[in-house]
Amino acid sequence: MKRIQQLLWCLMATSTLVSAQPAAKGEGALQPVHAGKPGSSAFWNSYAGRFIYPPAFEISETKGAAFYRFTVTGSDGRQHRFKEWKPWNALTPVWEAVPEGVTELEVTAMDRAGKAVAAPVKRTFYRSPAFPGVAIKPASVYFNAGRQGLEALFKTPAVQYWLQHKKPDPAYARYCFPNKVIGGLLRGMIAYVQLAATKRERTDALQMARNMGDYLLSVRQPATAHYAFIPPTYLNNVETPAGPALKRWQEGWFMVPSAIDAALGFLDLFDATGDSVYFQATQRIAQTLAATQEPDGTWPLMVKGTESRPVTPQRLIPTPVILFFDRMEQQYAIHSYRLAKERAWSWILKNPLETYQWDGQFEDVALHGAYKNLAREQACDVASLLLDQATGNPAGMAQAEELLRFAEDQFVVWAPVKDPEGWNHTIGGRKRAPETWFAPTVLEQYVCYEPVARSSAVLIHVYLKAHTVTKKQVYLEKAAALANGLLAGQSWISETYGGIAEIPTWVKKVKPSNWMNNSFYAAEAVLRLATVLNKIQERTRAGGSS
């Protein structure tokens, strides 16, 4: 809407006068992330507690208002004011002047005489700093960290248990999530086969992977089940099942995307051994998913009971299924699932890519209503898929980069939190001792607003792809920065507890309590960064560019 310049405007002497039409600075530094607008785009940030980019909030218009006065009070006590014609406009005009810390916003409806016509709408949040740049380490540093992480994982007693017993160690509680943990751990052992220092370790790692795969085969749901031939999300197979696993196992809960963790493990095992039993198991999972896809193009997120009734209206954001079908088509030339994949992609385009309802999809937390527990993984998956289609598609490229900004805005912490007490006050029940974190790092989801290694790994992968597609150096730097945070956590564990260490699940100063699948994904991402840096170095030597 064209702005009218004649309105009266009064500023307190202590306020900072800024233009309502600032010039953009940096790589979208002052650009809101998917700003909401009534009747056009949803406001996704009602439950958000902190921002890197200038937010726009859902505030209704007030009868009798001629304009709206925005007052932003930063952690330094300075007030910054500007006027807008709509109460939901972004804080872009003053954002650059707002320092890190607890920030107060008041939006007041004003009449033509400059008098308030209603009480101000207030919002408190934490303003986080933008990416400051990073020194990229040599590729060998990342390679050694990733390899050592896998070696430490291989030597963990709860992993070695598989070699002799061919089943989960009952003392390790998280084996109660068989698809997620055993499927991911299986892939970690396959990866270590390529890196182990001795033939004995390579042989043992492959045998353990086989034992894990055979165990998953043994616990699959029967052919008569709605989700036939898929291992369960929950099992009572350990001494003390973690989190909600026991109750959900008793009630027959199944989280549909957990099937993909098992499927990808089977594929990796087939690639390593050539044993067709694992490929057949994967095909059966794919066939079941295609057969159970619902008319809207996706699946329920969570079901329970023999009838597989949805536990919640929440739908699966089907990126894991799309990526799985992609692998089946691209690596094995199986095209049977193309239509199912296209229908799932269509659902994404019409739903979360429009609404930004990137609700968390986790098996170990309570289920929440729309927007109450946002996460970043599926948004990053969609960004990656859009980057795959970016050639000749500037609109898709822009969508991909905005998704990366969303993930960064809500979940990336580039530097140690300057005001941990203020963070805890603002975030409330989601506080997680930020003074202990190794930054840069990535927080997992709103209800677990805590630095998790797999969360960093997901962004490392997609930043590397963004660098390849866009040629923007900043994406490579961001990937390296997040890897540096993982390495800092790994080094602290090694120095504190001795010996080589997995890359810790919780990227902070705390005694290790690792999700072993997480340890694999973090090592995989760091190794991927090392590979990319090596290729860049090779091209540079040959006279090319990155």
Side-chain angles (χ1 to χ4, degrees):
M1 180 181 292
K2 186 176 180 180
R3 300 183 183 277
I4 303 170
Q5 301 298 328
Q6 291 83 9
L7 279 177
L8 295 172
W9 183 240
C10 298
L11 288 169
M12 295 175 62
T14 57
S15 298
T16 304
L17 176 63
V18 297
S19 167
Q21 299 280 358
K25 181 179 179 180
E27 188 68 36
L30 300 180
Q31 181 181 352
V33 176
H34 202 75
K37 184 178 180 181
S40 176
S41 55
F43 290 86
W44 54 265
N45 59 13
S46 296
Y47 301 95
R50 76 95 196 225
F51 301 92
I52 290 175
Y53 297 104
F57 297 113
E58 185 172 18
I59 301 174
S60 300
E61 292 187 274
T62 300
K63 185 177 180 179
F67 63 94
Y68 296 85
R69 182 180 68 199
F70 286 65
T71 304
V72 181
T73 305
S75 60
D76 57 359
R78 297 181 65 200
Q79 287 188 328
H80 310 274
R81 287 184 169 176
F82 63 100
K83 60 185 177 184
E84 293 285 1
W85 307 106
K86 297 296 181 183
W88 55 77
N89 285 359
L91 306 187
T92 306
V94 300
W95 194 246
E96 189 177 359
V98 179
E100 177 183 352
V102 178
T103 305
E104 305 285 346
L105 168 67
E106 290 189 0
V107 180
T108 307
M110 311 292 286
D111 63 17
R112 293 184 180 277
K115 295 182 179 179
V117 299
V121 176
K122 299 181 180 181
R123 181 78 181 252
T124 302
F125 56 86
Y126 194 94
R127 202 291 201 208
S128 286
F131 179 59
V134 68
I136 300 177
K137 301 178 187 295
S140 60
V141 174
Y142 299 112
F143 176 82
N144 289 335
R147 193 201 64 78
Q148 289 174 12
L150 290 179
E151 181 183 355
L153 180 62
F154 167 80
K155 292 179 176 178
T156 298
V159 177
Q160 287 289 312
Y161 190 92
W162 285 96
L163 196 57
Q164 298 299 323
H165 300 277
K166 301 182 180 182
K167 63 181 181 179
D169 181 350
Y172 180 67
R174 294 187 178 113
Y175 279 140
C176 67
F177 304 109
N179 283 341
K180 181 173 185 175
V181 173
I182 300 174
L185 180 58
L186 186 166
R187 301 184 71 195
M189 292 303 97
I190 295 294
Y192 188 60
V193 169
Q194 310 301 317
L195 300 172
T198 68
K199 182 178 179 180
R200 175 62 182 272
E201 286 193 348
R202 291 192 291 273
T203 300
D204 287 353
L206 185 59
Q207 185 58 55
M208 287 192 289
R210 272 188 172 274
N211 292 346
M212 293 172 196
D214 292 344
Y215 177 80
L216 289 176
L217 291 175
S218 74
V219 298
R220 288 178 297 175
Q221 298 181 63
T224 55
H226 187 70
Y227 292 99
F229 305 114
I230 301 177
T233 305
Y234 309 98
L235 272 181
N236 183 21
N237 59 351
V238 294
E239 293 168 357
T240 307
L246 180 60
K247 186 174 188 299
R248 292 182 178 183
W249 170 76
Q250 291 169 338
E251 296 178 353
W253 285 40
F254 174 68
M255 194 176 87
V256 176
S258 74
I260 306 304
D261 293 311
L264 296 179
F266 287 145
L267 284 181
D268 284 5
L269 196 49
F270 169 70
D271 290 346
T273 66
D275 191 334
S276 61
V277 69
Y278 303 118
F279 191 72
Q280 291 167 1
T282 306
Q283 286 186 298
R284 284 183 163 180
I285 292 175
Q287 290 162 1
T288 293
L289 290 172
T292 55
Q293 187 178 32
E294 298 191 354
D296 64 351
T298 189
W299 294 258
L301 175 64
M302 191 82 75
V303 298
K304 72 175 181 178
T306 56
E307 299 166 358
S308 293
R309 300 183 308 275
V311 174
T312 170
Q314 186 176 348
R315 306 295 280 165
L316 166 64
I317 302 175
T319 54
V321 182
I322 291 172
L323 293 168
F324 169 45
F325 287 163
D326 266 349
R327 182 172 173 183
M328 294 293 283
E329 182 170 349
Q330 294 169 13
Q331 186 175 347
Y332 307 102
I334 295 177
H335 307 288
S336 311
Y337 312 110
R338 185 175 293 176
L339 179 59
K341 181 178 67 174
E342 291 173 352
R343 293 176 61 210
W345 181 244
S346 178
W347 183 89
I348 288 172
L349 295 179
K350 296 174 183 176
N351 290 279
L353 195 55
E354 289 288 336
T355 64
Y356 266 49
Q357 189 179 329
W358 302 106
D359 292 329
Q361 318 258 287
F362 295 91
E363 76 296 308
D364 61 329
V365 300
L367 301 174
H368 296 267
Y371 297 102
K372 290 184 177 180
N373 183 33
L374 295 186
R376 83 262 83 74
E377 183 161 351
Q378 285 69 42
C380 290
D381 288 345
V382 173
S384 181
L385 290 163
L386 287 167
L387 287 167
D388 288 338
Q389 308 164 21
T391 302
N393 181 16
M397 177 79 81
Q399 286 178 311
E401 293 194 272
E402 184 169 49
L403 288 168
L404 295 183
R405 292 173 64 250
F406 162 77
E408 178 185 12
D409 184 61
Q410 290 301 291
F411 301 101
V412 178
V413 178
W414 290 122
V417 174
K418 186 176 180 180
D419 180 10
E421 184 177 350
W423 175 282
N424 290 341
H425 170 75
T426 306
I427 303 302
R430 291 178 263 155
K431 60 187 178 183
R432 292 286 192 251
E435 66 276 7
T436 67
W437 298 351
F438 291 102
T441 192
V442 183
L443 312 181
E444 186 182 60
Q445 54 181 317
Y446 281 0
V447 301
C448 182
Y449 220 43
E450 187 156 8
V452 173
R454 175 167 165 77
S455 301
S456 291
V458 168
L459 266 163
I460 288 170
H461 283 300
V462 73
Y463 278 149
L464 291 175
K465 180 176 284 190
H467 170 255
T468 298
V469 173
T470 68
K471 310 302 181 187
K472 294 178 181 178
Q473 178 70 9
V474 68
Y475 289 128
L476 181 63
E477 292 180 1
K478 287 181 176 181
L482 295 179
N484 292 350
L486 295 179
L487 268 58
Q490 183 186 35
S491 295
W492 184 84
I493 296 294
S494 182
E495 293 166 3
T496 304
Y497 297 96
I500 61 172
E502 299 168 48
I503 295 177
T505 298
W506 312 105
V507 192
K508 62 180 186 177
K509 294 179 180 178
V510 65
K511 185 178 180 180
S513 177
N514 293 326
W515 289 72
M516 292 189 292
N517 57 307
N518 208 296
S519 300
F520 158 61
Y521 292 121
E524 179 191 40
V526 170
L527 290 167
R528 174 61 181 159
L529 174 61
T531 299
V532 170
L533 291 175
N534 270 326
K535 288 181 178 179
I536 291 172
Q537 187 176 27
E538 290 170 5
R539 287 197 295 269
T540 301
R541 286 174 182 158
S545 64
S546 62

